[in-house]
Amino acid sequence: MGNDVTMTIDGMTVTVPYGTTIRAAATMAGHPVPTLCWHEHLAPANACRACVVEVEGSRTLVAACSREVEPGMVVRTTSERVQRARRVVAELLASASDASLAPSLEALCRDTGAHPENWGGATWHQPVRDDNGLYVRDYAKCILCYRCVEACGDQAQNTFAISVAGRGFHAHIDAGWDRAMPESDCVFCGNCVAVCPTGALIDRTEWTLRQNGQWDDAAITTTDTVCGYCGVGCGLTLHVLDNRIVKVTSPPDHPVTHGMLCVKGRYAYQYVQQEEAAGED
Amino acid sequence: MVRRLLPDNESVLPLLSEERWRARGYDRALAQAAALGPDGVIEWVTAAHITGRGGAAFPTGKKWASVARTTDPIKYVVMNADESELGTFKDRVLLSGDPWGPLTGLAIAAYAVGARDAFLYVRGEYPEIEALLKDAFGWTRWAGPLADRLTFHLYRGGGAYIAGEETALINSIEGKRPEPRVKPPFPTQRGLWDHPTVIQNVETLANVALVLAHDPEWYRAVGTPSAPGTKLIAVSGHVRRPGVYEVPMGFPLWPVLMDPDYGGGIGGSGRLQAVLIGGAAGTWLTADECREARLDNESLRAYGASLGSGAMMVFDDTVNIWRILGQVARFFAHESCGQCVPCRIGTQRLVEQLTGDRQPDYQQLRELGEAMRDASICGLGQTAPQALLSYLDRPALWR
């Protein structure tokens, strides 16, 4: 077939369509590679390097999330070089950032046998930024995956309120001159929160409940519905704890939203819970 | 001594004069290019085996051919004069001594690939070079159609080492943060504003002008079969006569340190300890290795080294190499853009390990260095641990 590429992954011959990434091909072959910064609805940022694989003939390892397969390509997803690089990536990240709400990073550490404690040194520890009513920024947890920047920018929201500033170890997400979010261009759609893999961006309600020890994943039920604000028809998932909505997301596979919402859909749900109170007056 | 790229010191013709341009043979070069046509120029450049002089040593003819054959009607050429590698100052010397060479090469590159816009990205700390190049743009009035058909755009670097990396340079010209892009696609496929782009180091373009001013056979008469031509070597540190020297590719390293025409002997204590070849991203050569080594990538490979940008930093036996490694680490930590994890956090950990009080674990350092080399996005992170790794490979340097 003219539109297919035949290549080898870990000794297995696989045939996939042109334009398939090594990551997708490896998943199809049953040899998935770990990812941190990759997100199904965002262009690959290539930043975390957790997904690196060995490609025969390539001097360095290759990011599987972005590299497209080529005919005859020979890929190894678990060679010694690959495993060493992945383990060091996990150790470096976990030695600098708080991974407690980052299941993908915790899994990478576990799967690679990482020992972040072997690296002392500077960390990302810093005060929580609590400057608006809708979400909290706890950058001690940030791994600089670029997802929030991409979602805020031309990958979803086209608001461009945040960007990476600074360089090297001091590179960080910034709304411009270290401004508080209400002073920035932020429109509070919360799509950055939706794509954050580490809890560095977290809805205020969830943050508060977690702070109070009241957040209980096991007790949360979800209800899918359609947003009632306008005629677009965004799919919503209401996360309910003790008969209160504590979080609103959109299914990543929803054809309208791809997981993205606006400020009303994501955050303006209080009226649902205030009807009863209003009726009692 | 061979003098090709660097004009004779006794040249009295004014630097930016048309007479000087002609005296250097660059009128012939442009006429020859026009006579050969774009394909013929690429054939000559390919036949001359010119390789990139910025460090990567990619075959120039191959790069041009891949841009020339794209169907995109808009193509660009870029002169990378963002020379920032530590110990590297050869482009500065070359441009201040013979600005016509690289400019002529740039016009030839544009003609060969079909570009109408030529960009010059000049290091921000080289204001005199910037002024010189701006003055030189007046040549379009008299240098003939190959220069006249071009629009020159001069961009000043903002002071980031990383902006010398070709894809970061593209982002910088586009007004973005100079973060390297993932390759592929290479700039030859998708470069400036997503159009196919040829990016060449200053010295590479000067070599192109020489080939067209003469012919490939003349060009190949010096150097090695796989790497013909000459190379500018920037010698600094403990030598009596630091400076930029032009040597044939494959020239022995030792006389560049010792010969009165070159480095003139070891300075400082007079006793050589080691040479860091290729800049901060380079490789240590011990004194014994320096006696045998030759200055071309093929022979340097035996030492795990490469010419890189052509920097040689010389250290006498009083220098604590470990402290130099700490300074190199600080440089890369400061210059890392912060995009990818191995470089962003790895360069920070290297500084901590190399400058801290604790005796570092060599095995742990090696693993970090190898992971950075293997998994970083661009050449900065990939080569940041190179000096350290080459040190770990050479117990003779340990103290």
Side-chain angles (χ1 to χ4, degrees):
Chain A
M1 284 188 290
N3 290 325
D4 286 345
V5 176
T6 299
M7 37 98 67
T8 309
I9 296 179
D10 296 333
M12 286 192 306
T13 303
V14 294
T15 300
V16 294
Y18 258 107
T20 304
T21 62
I22 297 176
R23 184 204 61 79
T27 303
M28 288 179 218
H31 288 212
V33 295
T35 58
L36 299 176
C37 67
W38 177 82
H39 184 277
E40 60 184 325
H41 296 309
L42 302 173
N46 288 294
C48 74
R49 316 307 280 179
C51 71
V52 288
V53 295
E54 197 159 347
V55 173
E56 218 167 83
S58 175
R59 186 173 47 85
T60 60
L61 300 178
V62 164
C65 65
S66 61
R67 175 67 74 88
E68 292 178 3
V69 295
E70 293 157 26
M73 202 179 229
V74 177
V75 173
R76 277 181 284 274
T77 67
T78 55
S79 71
E80 200 179 316
R81 268 177 93 195
V82 167
Q83 292 188 31
R84 177 181 58 215
R86 274 190 201 143
R87 176 168 48 77
V88 170
V89 162
E91 287 180 348
L92 290 176
L93 275 176
S95 71
S97 302
D98 167 9
S100 58
L101 289 182
S104 54
L105 177 53
E106 284 187 316
L108 187 71
C109 287
R110 203 170 48 241
D111 296 345
T112 58
H115 289 283
E117 68 279 3
N118 289 350
W119 301 99
T123 72
W124 266 74
H125 185 73
Q126 57 189 291
V128 170
R129 287 163 194 254
D130 184 1
D131 58 17
N132 68 82
L134 299 179
Y135 61 86
V136 169
R137 296 179 291 157
D138 182 6
Y139 285 139
K141 297 190 174 76
C142 180
I143 59 168
L144 216 66
C145 68
Y146 284 67
R147 280 190 190 179
C148 57
V149 176
E150 299 300 332
C152 187
D154 62 5
Q155 303 281 309
Q157 187 61 31
N158 285 291
T159 291
F160 304 96
I162 49 173
S163 177
V164 174
R167 56 207 258 177
F169 192 73
H170 308 287
H172 61 280
I173 306 297
D174 195 288
W177 301 281
D178 203 26
R179 284 183 294 193
M181 293 318 294
E183 274 80 60
S184 76
D185 293 336
C186 178
V187 296
F188 297 96
C189 64
N191 288 328
C192 53
V193 179
V195 296
C196 179
T198 65
L201 301 173
I202 188 167
D203 293 331
R204 161 166 301 286
T205 309
E206 179 176 349
W207 168 259
T208 308
L209 289 171
R210 283 186 184 277
Q211 289 299 105
N212 298 337
Q214 293 166 330
W215 184 268
D216 181 3
D217 276 315
I220 290 176
T221 58
T222 59
T223 302
D224 286 349
T225 181
V226 174
C227 183
Y229 273 106
C230 75
V232 170
C234 293
L236 300 182
T237 299
L238 310 177
H239 302 248
V240 178
L241 179 66
D242 295 335
N243 205 32
R244 308 279 297 175
I245 300 171
V246 292
K247 181 174 177 170
V248 176
T249 60
S250 185
D253 59 352
H254 192 275
V256 174
T257 67
H258 299 296
M260 308 295 174
L261 290 171
C262 77
V263 59
K264 288 180 281 187
R266 193 179 301 280
Y267 291 122
Y269 53 80
Q270 287 79 4
Y271 73 96
V272 178
Q273 304 173 154
Q274 282 168 0
E275 259 181 329
E276 198 177 66
E280 280 171 8
D281 274 348
Chain B
M1 274 177 80
V2 56
R3 271 195 169 285
R4 285 182 160 191
L5 296 164
L6 296 178
D8 291 330
N9 291 334
E10 51 274 22
S11 174
V12 291
L13 297 168
L15 190 61
L16 288 179
S17 64
E18 185 178 346
E19 297 71 41
R20 176 131 166 177
W21 181 71
R22 291 183 190 285
R24 292 285 294 156
Y26 299 139
D27 57 337
R28 278 204 316 277
L30 289 193
Q32 182 65 259
L36 288 169
D39 291 346
V41 171
I42 294 175
E43 271 171 38
W44 272 36
V45 170
T46 306
H49 296 306
I50 303 177
T51 52
R53 299 297 205 252
F58 190 82
T60 304
K62 205 169 158 185
K63 187 186 278 186
W64 292 13
S66 64
V67 169
R69 68 165 169 262
T70 61
T71 51
D72 192 330
I74 298 174
K75 300 172 177 102
Y76 298 118
V77 291
V78 180
M79 177 198 291
N80 184 352
D82 193 41
E83 180 175 59
S84 312
E85 185 60 53
L86 296 197
T88 307
F89 39 94
K90 47 104 182 165
D91 290 340
R92 177 183 219 167
V93 167
L94 176 56
L95 280 169
S96 51
D98 185 32
W100 290 137
L103 263 182
T104 303
L106 187 63
I108 293 168
Y111 175 68
V113 302
R116 305 301 292 259
D117 291 271
F119 293 79
L120 298 93
Y121 193 89
V122 183
R123 180 176 177 174
E125 290 91 341
Y126 286 181
E128 77 287 0
I129 299 291
E130 187 187 321
L132 194 64
L133 287 169
K134 276 184 181 157
D135 287 346
F137 291 160
W139 74 324
T140 53
R141 289 193 299 273
W142 46 257
L146 259 61
D148 188 38
R149 63 193 280 283
L150 281 174
T151 308
F152 291 91
H153 310 263
L154 195 144
Y155 281 72
R156 182 191 307 137
Y161 169 79
I162 188 59
E165 197 279 338
E166 58 180 1
T167 57
L169 187 153
I170 289 172
N171 277 336
S172 179
I173 290 181
E174 290 184 8
K176 298 173 184 155
R177 205 177 137 80
E179 288 180 349
R181 298 177 178 179
V182 68
K183 297 189 271 194
F186 293 93
T188 49
Q189 304 159 279
R190 220 182 297 162
L192 262 180
W193 295 289
D194 287 342
H195 295 294
T197 304
V198 164
I199 304 174
Q200 301 286 178
N201 175 257
V202 172
E203 187 184 347
T204 315
L205 293 170
N207 276 289
V208 166
L210 286 177
V211 169
L212 273 292
H214 299 85
D215 58 71
E217 205 172 319
W218 172 89
Y219 183 79
R220 287 198 309 260
V222 301
T224 70
S226 66
T230 58
K231 181 79 192 83
L232 298 178
I233 304 291
V235 188
S236 61
H238 287 133
V239 283
R240 294 224 171 83
R241 296 177 69 232
V244 172
Y245 299 105
E246 181 170 7
V247 298
M249 280 282 194
F251 196 70
L253 188 154
W254 194 248
V256 176
L257 299 177
M258 299 301 180
D259 196 287
D261 285 338
Y262 299 102
I266 304 304
S269 73
R271 293 178 301 271
L272 175 66
Q273 180 177 196
V275 168
L276 185 56
I277 187 162
T283 306
W284 289 105
L285 296 179
T286 63
D288 285 344
E289 289 171 322
C290 287
R291 287 174 190 278
E292 310 152 3
R294 290 183 165 273
L295 294 169
D296 67 290
N297 284 324
E298 203 173 316
S299 40
L300 283 172
R301 202 169 298 141
Y303 307 96
S306 68
L307 264 184
S309 55
M312 279 173 53
M313 289 188 267
V314 185
F315 297 90
D316 75 11
D317 63 352
T318 67
V319 174
N320 182 341
I321 301 283
W322 186 257
R323 291 191 57 179
I324 303 296
L325 289 173
Q327 295 193 23
V328 166
R330 275 203 196 92
F331 170 75
F332 283 117
H334 180 64
E335 296 297 346
S336 166
C337 77
Q339 186 179 199
C340 70
V341 172
C343 182
R344 177 175 82 243
I345 308 178
T347 53
Q348 170 71 21
R349 293 290 175 256
L350 279 185
V351 171
E352 291 160 357
Q353 298 284 320
L354 293 172
T355 63
D357 301 329
R358 205 162 53 100
Q359 175 65 30
D361 176 345
Y362 277 10
Q363 183 55 32
Q364 192 187 6
L365 272 180
R366 182 181 287 279
E367 288 199 341
L368 172 59
E370 288 174 348
M372 290 170 71
R373 186 193 62 197
D374 288 345
S376 296
I377 292 179
C378 81
L380 192 157
Q382 289 162 9
T383 57
Q386 173 65 23
L388 168 66
L389 289 171
S390 70
Y391 171 89
L392 295 176
D393 287 339
R394 287 168 175 76
L397 297 177
W398 301 357
R399 276 197 279 183

